[in-house]
Amino acid sequence: MKDNGILIPVDYTQVSKNAVSYAIGLAQELKSKLVFVHAYSVVDPSGTPIGMATMAHNVTDTTASQEKINKEKLDKFLRGFPELDKLKFQAMVGFGATVDMISGLAKEMNTSLVVMGTKGASSGFDEIFIGTVTEKVTQKAPCPVLAVPEDASYTAYKRIGVAVDTDSMDNKIDFEMLSRLLENYNAQLHFAHIADKQERVLEKAFIRERFGKLLVPRQWSFTVIQEDKTEEGIDEFLTETPIDLLVLLYREHGFFEALFKKGLRKKMLYASKAPLLIVK
């Protein structure tokens, strides 16, 4: 399996620092290159953000200065991780919106994975903002996205959980990253179908047919949880089957879409104790 590196957005917060540590653990196991990126906004000497109304030559001068300052800051931040001395890594900074920077670089560099730190919300605004950023990255990035909760520590994956629904026969999902993780960690697979009263309940034969290549030769199980509220079904699954990584299959409609409705973002994206891998 070809490895094109792991992309990690950095904003110098404790959450970001934790995500970097987590990504280092993954890179050591997968023997992946790490690409760190920091997106910044340009501010002129007066403290006023530079916009379209500002003279072009001022933008050019200020951008060069800001790029140097931000690159030095990123390099200094990364020197706090001595483990990087034994890994291949690259540090980049760029002017622009965070989501566009992440998704654009992921596409340009054809990275295998994006790792993002996520933080519990302290207000309704935080919940909407943080959830929206992560959700938009999952929509725009061409590769899987791993959301790492602020209190999650890297650990070797022994048990990986996969949430499925009746749309899981979608053959467009790329399982290469999940397959790499299973192969490298020799992890067990635990599938869960959270079904409401109106939904057709999936059978074990469905899992064997759809995910056959991922199942051999490892141990796996399949559980059906009857629950109308998706987030409560996920909670029940995680309580009954402790896992090290939760996997969701990205689709614009159906099960995945329901998980990202307002009110569920906190639960699924940055309050979950288990890191969340979104494959697409």
Side-chain angles (χ1 to χ4, degrees):
M1 297 180 184
K2 186 177 181 180
D3 176 70
N4 291 315
I6 300 173
L7 181 64
I8 310 98
V10 172
D11 64 2
Y12 311 118
T13 61
Q14 183 59 40
V15 172
S16 179
K17 183 177 181 180
N18 185 58
V20 171
S21 296
Y22 197 100
I24 287 174
L26 274 177
Q28 290 172 333
E29 176 64 35
L30 299 179
K31 296 179 175 55
S32 296
K33 175 183 177 180
L34 294 169
V35 180
F36 301 99
V37 58
H38 172 68
Y40 64 90
S41 299
V42 176
V43 178
D44 74 7
S46 68
T48 303
I50 289 181
M52 293 299 292
T54 309
M55 295 298 291
H57 66 274
N58 289 338
V59 174
T60 302
D61 295 343
T62 305
T63 300
S65 175
Q66 288 290 322
E67 181 175 1
K68 180 180 179 181
I69 291 172
N70 279 281
K71 182 60 166 61
E72 290 174 349
K73 185 176 181 180
L74 178 56
D75 291 341
K76 181 179 179 181
F77 174 80
L78 295 177
R79 285 197 291 272
F81 300 90
E83 306 95 325
L84 289 175
D85 292 340
K86 298 181 180 179
L87 293 172
K88 293 181 180 179
F89 74 94
Q90 181 178 359
M92 306 174 65
V93 298
F95 166 57
T98 302
V99 172
D100 292 338
M101 182 71 66
I102 297 169
S103 56
L105 274 176
K107 183 177 182 179
E108 178 183 337
M109 305 181 74
N110 194 27
T111 52
S112 299
L113 178 68
V114 173
V115 176
M116 299 181 67
T118 54
K119 178 178 174 60
S122 59
S123 69
F125 176 80
D126 288 340
E127 177 176 344
I128 294 172
F129 176 75
I130 299 173
T132 300
V133 170
T134 307
E135 181 183 0
K136 286 183 177 179
V137 172
T138 64
Q139 291 174 342
K140 292 189 173 184
C143 62
V145 177
L146 176 61
V148 181
E150 59 183 320
D151 57 351
S153 299
Y154 171 77
T155 183
Y157 300 140
K158 296 180 180 178
R159 297 169 296 274
I160 296 177
V162 182
V164 297
D165 64 357
T166 52
D167 292 327
S168 294
M169 285 303 289
D170 184 355
N171 292 319
K172 295 181 181 180
I173 299 294
D174 186 351
F175 291 111
E176 182 174 353
M177 175 51 66
L178 178 56
S179 180
R180 284 185 63 196
L181 294 175
L182 289 169
E183 181 178 333
N184 279 269
Y185 291 100
N186 193 29
Q188 298 177 6
L189 261 177
H190 299 275
F191 294 90
H193 177 204
I194 315 301
D196 59 32
K197 296 177 182 178
Q198 284 73 42
E199 190 174 0
R200 176 175 64 88
V201 175
L202 300 179
E203 298 181 355
K204 196 168 184 177
F206 168 89
I207 301 298
R208 187 178 293 108
E209 177 185 356
R210 175 67 179 94
F211 303 96
K213 292 182 179 180
L214 296 175
L215 306 181
V216 180
R218 58 189 47 83
Q219 296 181 12
W220 65 282
S221 65
F222 174 57
T223 302
V224 175
I225 298 177
Q226 295 278 1
E227 176 56 62
D228 290 337
K229 295 183 178 180
T230 305
E231 74 278 17
E232 292 185 7
I234 292 289
D235 277 348
E236 182 178 338
F237 170 53
L238 296 179
T239 299
E240 295 179 354
T241 311
I243 61 173
D244 303 307
L245 179 69
L246 176 62
V247 179
L248 298 181
L249 313 181
Y250 177 85
R251 285 178 306 282
E252 294 182 355
H253 303 288
F255 183 77
F256 184 89
E257 183 181 52
L259 291 176
F260 284 88
K261 288 180 180 176
K262 183 179 178 181
L264 298 187
R265 289 176 180 146
K266 180 177 179 181
K267 176 75 68 177
M268 298 310 304
L269 281 180
Y270 49 86
S272 174
K273 293 182 179 179
L276 180 64
L277 176 67
I278 300 167
V279 297
K280 58 190 303 186

